[in-house]
Amino acid sequence: MKNKAEKALEQGKGILRLAPTWVPRSFCVPGRRIKLHPDDYYVLGGVRGGIDERWLSSTTPAKNGPLTGENEGLSAVVYTDGGKEEQILLKDVIEELGAQIIGDRIWNEYKSWPMYSKFFDNMGPLPHHIHHNDEHAAKIGQLGKPEAYYFPPQLNNHGGDFPYTFFGIAPGTTKEQIKECLQNFTKGDNKITMFSQAFPLIPGTGWDVPPGMLHAPGSLCTYEPQKASDVFAMYQSLVNEAIIPEELLWNGTPKDQIGNYDQLMEVIDWELNTNPNLLETRFMAPIPVKDEAEMAKEGYSEKWVCYRSEAFSAKELTIFPGQTVTIKDAAAYGLIMMQGHGKMGVWDIETPAMIRYGQLTNDEFFVTEKAAQEGVVITNHSSTDPIVMLKHFGPNNPDLKL
């Protein structure tokens, strides 16, 4: 295994090429904006549901019940052996090479890659739900889950059925009102969003969602960096005329506490949810990483798009047509191409318009800390089209000083 990992690292000169990782969800209807071929959204069979997620730089297995496929949710590194393309899990590469991939700072603290990102692409809204913090997640042997949203313009040619997201609990709501909603979960619509507030979703912007915060994601295609965890519980019983199974209400609850509505209430961070300034404290408009005129002279633009969490961060990098630039970062990161084509290090990079299930691409990579610090050389081969990529980083990015 170590020889394979070292071969992949050497071939990429510190940049690993990744294969697409597709994940179905049985309770979702695909929005069909993540470039999968129209015939392939249900390629895993109707019982598995439609494919509405692509996981990026993931060492976190998907938790999709007893029918979950082997290595579902795990990213694979593509390398060449004897003239033939082979694959090895990114998880295995990091376990074998450790700090050579993610750097001493993250390896020494986590012994793993502690985040991943995804494209989430649902035609309609999700139920009002919550992710547990570390304390509550530990009760079922998991980690807490902060996450963030960014809505890439390139993947949002249409807004889906409901491009609005409910966040938090409306100020003035009582705990007794929310508890009554939870107790009414099996009686049809428990009307929990009556006590929330919805915001329109705007491409090119995003939101921060700490653990303990109720949220009902809207129907824009979403780039979603998050902590390496899949813990959640659904607190809304009916959405888009679809009934949510009661088992998802108790998902994330210790078995000996199932039926205890006070336990569900404890998971809610009440002060966070009832903050009247959600727009000020949770909304994220892009922020340039440095002076825009200075970057433009060098042939590029780079902006922070996810920056409110210590668990991860993300940037949007644009290389102008015909330009060659060297981009340095302090930390390792995964990346996904959103637009354009050219060269990055030893790799050809391109943004596919359509991908068959199982097809390899040249649009997703993982940049080791050493390569990031030395600088990644990127050339835009187009005279008209910018290269645009999204870059997802692990915890406490040294460059994030806003």
Side-chain angles (χ1 to χ4, degrees):
M1 187 70 71
K2 188 171 184 179
N3 288 341
K4 294 177 180 178
E6 289 174 337
K7 181 172 286 190
L9 181 61
E10 169 59 27
Q11 286 180 3
K13 303 301 180 190
I15 301 176
L16 303 171
R17 177 190 175 200
L18 303 182
T21 302
W22 306 105
V23 175
R25 295 295 198 189
S26 61
F27 51 84
C28 294
V29 176
R32 298 175 180 266
R33 291 164 293 195
I34 50 177
K35 303 181 182 178
L36 195 58
H37 188 284
D39 292 344
D40 291 350
Y41 281 98
Y42 291 90
V43 70
L44 298 174
V47 69
R48 294 301 318 280
I51 293 172
D52 69 342
E53 296 186 4
R54 178 178 173 180
W55 289 23
L56 309 168
S57 301
S58 171
T59 60
T60 304
K63 295 186 182 300
N64 269 339
L67 297 179
T68 304
E70 184 182 9
N71 299 329
E72 192 162 293
L74 296 175
S75 294
V77 176
V78 182
Y79 69 100
T80 303
D81 189 7
K84 183 182 176 185
E85 285 183 327
E86 303 284 354
Q87 297 185 29
I88 179 176
L89 293 178
L90 176 62
K91 179 176 182 288
D92 292 339
V93 172
I94 291 174
E95 286 178 357
E96 290 292 339
L97 301 183
Q100 283 183 262
I101 307 296
I102 60 177
D104 288 323
R105 179 180 61 87
I106 291 180
W107 177 252
N108 290 342
E109 182 168 353
Y110 298 95
K111 299 296 189 226
S112 66
W113 180 238
M115 68 84 64
Y116 67 105
S117 193
K118 67 167 72 165
F119 290 134
F120 166 73
D121 176 39
N122 202 41
M123 182 64 75
L126 276 190
H128 216 34
H129 68 276
I130 201 163
H131 300 293
H132 304 61
N133 63 20
D134 283 334
E135 177 188 352
H136 288 291
K139 296 176 182 178
I140 59 165
Q142 291 204 48
L143 296 170
K145 184 180 176 181
E147 62 187 23
Y149 306 146
Y150 177 69
F151 311 113
Q154 295 87 352
L155 297 184
N156 281 295
N157 58 308
H158 69 86
D161 292 343
F162 191 79
Y164 305 84
T165 288
F166 287 93
F167 287 106
I169 297 168
T173 302
T174 67
K175 293 183 179 181
E176 288 71 25
Q177 287 172 311
I178 297 300
K179 185 175 178 180
E180 184 179 4
C181 289
L182 300 180
Q183 291 170 329
N184 289 336
F185 196 88
T186 59
K187 300 177 183 177
D189 184 0
N190 68 347
K191 299 182 172 62
I192 193 169
T193 54
M194 170 68 186
F195 302 102
S196 185
Q197 47 197 328
F199 296 85
L201 304 181
I202 302 170
T205 70
W207 288 82
D208 177 60
V209 186
M213 183 175 183
L214 281 162
H215 56 291
S219 57
L220 282 195
C221 186
T222 304
Y223 169 73
E224 189 178 349
Q226 57 205 270
K227 192 171 176 177
S229 170
D230 205 13
V231 66
F232 69 92
M234 298 295 190
Y235 280 23
Q236 184 180 359
S237 60
L238 180 78
V239 64
N240 251 19
E241 301 306 316
I243 290 289
I244 307 303
E246 187 188 9
E247 65 193 60
L248 294 181
L249 171 66
W250 300 106
N251 193 53
T253 300
K255 288 184 179 179
D256 63 353
Q257 292 295 312
I258 290 177
N260 182 356
Y261 292 94
D262 290 329
Q263 175 64 37
L264 297 179
M265 292 298 297
E266 284 182 20
V267 174
I268 301 172
D269 184 328
W270 196 259
E271 183 178 354
L272 177 71
N273 278 271
T274 56
N275 181 349
N277 299 316
L278 286 180
L279 192 64
E280 178 186 354
T281 57
R282 303 272 70 93
F283 178 71
M284 293 183 293
I287 298 176
V289 301
K290 62 180 185 180
D291 181 73
E292 291 192 82
E294 180 183 337
M295 288 189 287
K297 285 182 182 178
E298 297 176 21
Y300 75 99
S301 172
E302 191 166 40
K303 298 175 181 178
W304 293 106
V305 293
C306 296
Y307 48 78
R308 291 190 183 273
S309 175
E310 293 183 354
F312 51 78
S313 56
K315 294 178 178 179
E316 181 185 70
L317 172 64
T318 301
I319 312 296
F320 300 146
Q323 299 295 310
T324 295
V325 301
T326 300
I327 302 295
K328 293 184 178 182
D329 286 281
Y333 58 92
L335 71 88
I336 180 71
M337 292 284 293
M338 302 305 302
Q339 189 173 342
H341 72 282
K343 194 87 171 179
M344 180 177 67
V346 301
W347 297 108
D348 293 323
I349 55 174
E350 58 194 10
T351 310
M354 185 171 65
I355 309 168
R356 294 304 307 243
Y357 184 85
Q359 176 188 342
L360 294 177
T361 57
N362 293 315
D363 68 339
E364 186 183 354
F365 299 86
F366 192 94
V367 179
T368 64
E369 182 179 89
K370 184 172 184 285
Q373 291 176 348
E374 291 177 350
V376 176
V377 179
I378 306 171
T379 300
N380 187 341
H381 286 163
S382 175
S383 62
T384 58
D385 198 24
I387 284 176
V388 181
M389 62 178 70
L390 295 172
K391 301 159 58 173
H392 25 279
F393 298 83
N396 298 305
N397 189 335
D399 288 330
L400 183 54
K401 298 172 183 175
L402 299 179

